[in-house]
Amino acid sequence: MSAGPLVATLQVGGPTAVGRLLRGVPRAVAEHPVWLQAVDPVARMLVPGARTSGSAGGGRREFYGVTRARAITAVDAAWDGSALGAVQRLEPPVTFGFGSAPATPTLVDIVTSIRERA
């Protein structure tokens, strides 16, 4: 992959533990805001800092439906020609938005929905 000064190649492994759990959830359910609001407390326990629902500001609600999660096993990446080093855990968690990302490098398929409050 290449985007501006970033050039990266990822080695993607099999599903993570969460990814294996997600296999049992039909996609239409996994993306539905009612489901995502209900499973938010469980998601926060499984992936500390992660959220599946929250405020998008301006009276809107935002929902993140992860449908697949696979391990990133290696990365070869450079920024403007300078190597970025080996893949590492994300510590401390990011603090922007209402959610975070898994600490272990993970490639996820995600559907984002934003709804106006009624």
Side-chain angles (χ1 to χ4, degrees), residues 21-110:
L21 287 173
L22 291 170
R23 286 181 178 167
V25 181
R27 186 177 181 99
V29 172
E31 298 173 3
H32 199 280
V34 172
W35 166 261
L36 295 170
Q37 193 162 357
V39 300
D40 186 64
V42 176
R44 285 191 262 168
M45 287 189 309
L46 292 175
V47 183
R51 300 286 309 269
T52 58
S53 71
S55 173
R60 296 169 294 158
R61 297 284 301 166
E62 191 165 2
F63 303 92
Y64 294 126
V66 176
T67 58
R68 192 171 175 192
R70 294 169 286 165
I72 296 174
T73 58
V75 175
D76 181 17
W79 183 268
D80 204 21
S82 296
L84 296 177
V87 66
Q88 297 181 32
R89 289 181 54 84
L90 177 62
E91 292 178 6
V94 296
T95 57
F96 54 84
F98 68 76
S100 188
T104 304
T106 306
L107 179 65
V108 298
D109 293 355
I110 190 166

Side-chain angles (χ1 to χ4, degrees), residues 1-3 6-10 75-78 84:
M1 148 187 116
S2 180
L6 175 66
V7 177
T9 302
L10 305 177
V75 175
D76 181 17
L84 296 177

